[in-house]
Amino acid sequence: MTAKPRLTPAPPPGELIDSPRFPVAARRELGNTAQRRNLRLATHTIRDKRANAVGEMENWEQLREAGGAIKNRVLRHLPEYLEQLEESLTRNGATVHWARDAAEANRIVIALVQETGSQEVVKVKSMATQEIDLNEALEESGIAAWETDLAELIVQLGHDRPSHILVPAIHRNRSEVREIFLEEMGRYGTPAPPGLDDNPTNLANAARGHLREKFLRAKVAISGANFAVADTGSLVVVESEGNGRMCLTLPETLISVVGIEKVLPSFDDLEVFMQLLPRSSTAERMNPYTSVWSGASEGDGPQNVHVVLVDNGRTNALADPHGRQALRCIRCSACMNICPVFEKVGGHAYGSVYPGPIGAILNPQIRGTDSAVDRSLPFASSLCGACTEVCPVQIPIAELLVHMRGKVVDAKKAESKGVHMPHAEPAMMKAGGWVMGDHRRLEAAQLAAKAGGGVLGRFTDHIGPLPWPLSKWTNTRDVPNPPTKTFRDWWNVNRADQVEK
Amino acid sequence: MSAKSEIMDRIRSALTDVPDVRAADDVEVVWRYGQPVQLPEGNVLEVFIERVEDYHATVVSCVADDLPDAIAAGLKATGATTAVLPAGLDRDWLSAASGVEFTTEDAGPLSADELNTLDAVVTASAVSVAETGTIVLDHSPDQGRRALTLVPDRHVCVVRSGQVVSGVPEAVARLRGAVEAGRPLTWISGPSATSDIELSRVEGVHGPRQLYVILVREGN
């Protein structure tokens, strides 16, 4: 059996949902020294830039507060805003489609492209279309999808997967990009200029040359949207390179795939989000280009305009009154850029198009907790809380990580259905509770620990690796020796006389 | 059941904890819309110039009478010998630009390939934002359809001082009418750029690689 020849570069084999548990994937990624160096450089650069961009704004906290509140209002009253959005878009000449899940969204898009007779589409960078794996669905239907964002192009030509929602090729350095361009561009269109070096300006120019012919001939474009405005029936795309404008302007047909949580009540609300988003994501006062369009505009741009509103698990997240806060996310990537875990392991370890802290709470909510990777994600954090502080819409990410850990434990318990499956942490907590519940038991335990500490202290200042099952804790952490004196002993010697009788 | 009714049902059953009250009464948004922003230093026009220049765009100022000379100088500075003009652009603005061949769409729209052969575009603009150095086109007749300001590699853009506001909120308030009238918007902050390779900023990818802004100081 011979495989059908591919139209576009093949991504790595396998489905993201079948990714290994986070600790296993993290160990694999940590072995990639070049990637670790690239990530460290990139995340530290953007962190500092973001701090400056945000530091300029005296009313940043009020903006975050307002952004969070607007999104809460939308989520809690989603039916009325979605109805209004559909009505306004339709009035503006767009056709609105609804998709329960990824498969349905893909079927809708494929049928719309087939109606045009076109066998290729140009794509604006979009998380929603990555989430539903649209490119591969199009490929299977004989339609070539060309990514046009520079980083997405690097990922696509590199037979790779994105590792970051804003800078999908953040794990690649300039010399790797050069090699990919020289090797692959010619197979799918205009080749890279011979003698291309690894200067980022020249690499960007090679992308300009490669994509221009695709932009000029494209009949169909596919985009996502950063915001969908209910009262005016407008979609908004925030970008930097102008590839978005090319796709949104030149083709005859435009299909936008938009998650149902992207609605904003009013055009006026853009004043809040257009201040929050650019400074949080690319750390600029404003991104180079933002496009706003309201259906079809006579004599200007695509006249065949479609919007596909996608659920694909979002209503699962919405059903959890606490967890639904994660749906406020505007995909800025500030949480992954600040995250000490993401910085080391990169985005591929998270087994989803949404990596980092937001992915760790969003994926198990929208995909559920059935897969090994989704069960492991809420634990992919040290709970340091840096993500919560930078989130422009005040998602309490650290708190939701703990919340989702609870849900994973509950799901496992429900599965074991009465069969007693002890888990180390709850068992230890239970034992601790028993000891601390009675002062005599506590004193006895302290006496034992004191004796142990006295002995150990002669050899070492900490406890290293212990045998199983304690190894699960000590393999990644040192434990200090038990003190040779309890707090009660210390109190009796130093402060007993101060106690008012 | 249609996909829409099923999704709506899912949403309603997900939100049973939400009281049946108006959205605005359920969640308060503490924010005053459309307010000017406090600029750190200088007046609105000075901040606008500084912030546009921060993006490595060129900004020159002139008085209204000198605009034709400024446009001629701008086209020359960007190295353009051909340019496309929006239908509604005041043709007097181009009276000083000798040596540049102008194309219009009077005889029908140009194809993307035809636009790709032209060096530059000259347009007016709708609203500008000092704090962020942003110019917004609402694609009125003096700015043309979106493709005109996208495909040619050089954009000479005229901003009248009365169109410059302090911050994003005032700009959004001013733009509402154009959006309600169905017009698209393009917000431009410097030339096209990318930070996709090692987060090092490169100016000039697909959009115009040169942005030349002429600020016309009106009245006093």
Side-chain angles (χ1 to χ4, degrees), chain B residues 82-101:
Chain B
T82 56
V84 62
L85 301 176
L89 193 79
D90 187 344
R91 298 298 142 107
D92 291 344
W93 286 9
L94 309 160
S95 53
S98 54
V100 179
E101 190 192 323

Side-chain angles (χ1 to χ4, degrees), chain B residues 46 49 85 214:
Chain B
E46 283 162 22
I49 293 170
L85 301 176
I214 301 171

Side-chain angles (χ1 to χ4, degrees), chain B residues 105-174:
Chain B
E105 296 196 308
D106 295 347
L110 300 167
S111 70
D113 283 310
E114 285 166 322
L115 282 175
N116 198 35
T117 64
L118 299 171
D119 294 338
V121 60
V122 182
T123 71
S125 55
V127 177
S128 286
V129 183
E131 186 177 48
T132 61
T134 303
I135 298 165
V136 185
L137 308 181
D138 66 6
H139 302 281
S140 295
D142 58 1
Q143 298 147 52
R145 65 191 178 100
R146 284 173 288 171
L148 301 193
T149 35
L150 174 62
V151 182
D153 206 9
R154 306 160 179 84
H155 184 184
V156 176
C157 187
V158 178
V159 173
R160 290 186 284 110
S161 55
Q163 294 175 313
V164 186
V165 297
S166 62
V168 173
E170 282 176 289
V172 168
R174 283 203 192 191

Side-chain angles (χ1 to χ4, degrees), chain A residues 75-83 98 260 311 315 318-319 324, chain B residues 1 4-18 20:
Chain A
L75 292 169
R76 289 168 66 88
H77 299 269
L78 200 50
E80 75 179 76
Y81 290 116
L82 284 172
E83 290 284 6
W98 298 77
I260 52 173
D311 176 357
T315 45
L318 199 64
R324 77 167 65 113
Chain B
M1 199 178 352
K4 180 185 170 183
S5 9
E6 195 172 331
I7 293 170
M8 285 299 196
D9 279 359
R10 288 179 189 171
I11 297 172
R12 287 198 190 92
S13 47
L15 292 173
T16 45
D17 62 306
V18 177
D20 188 17

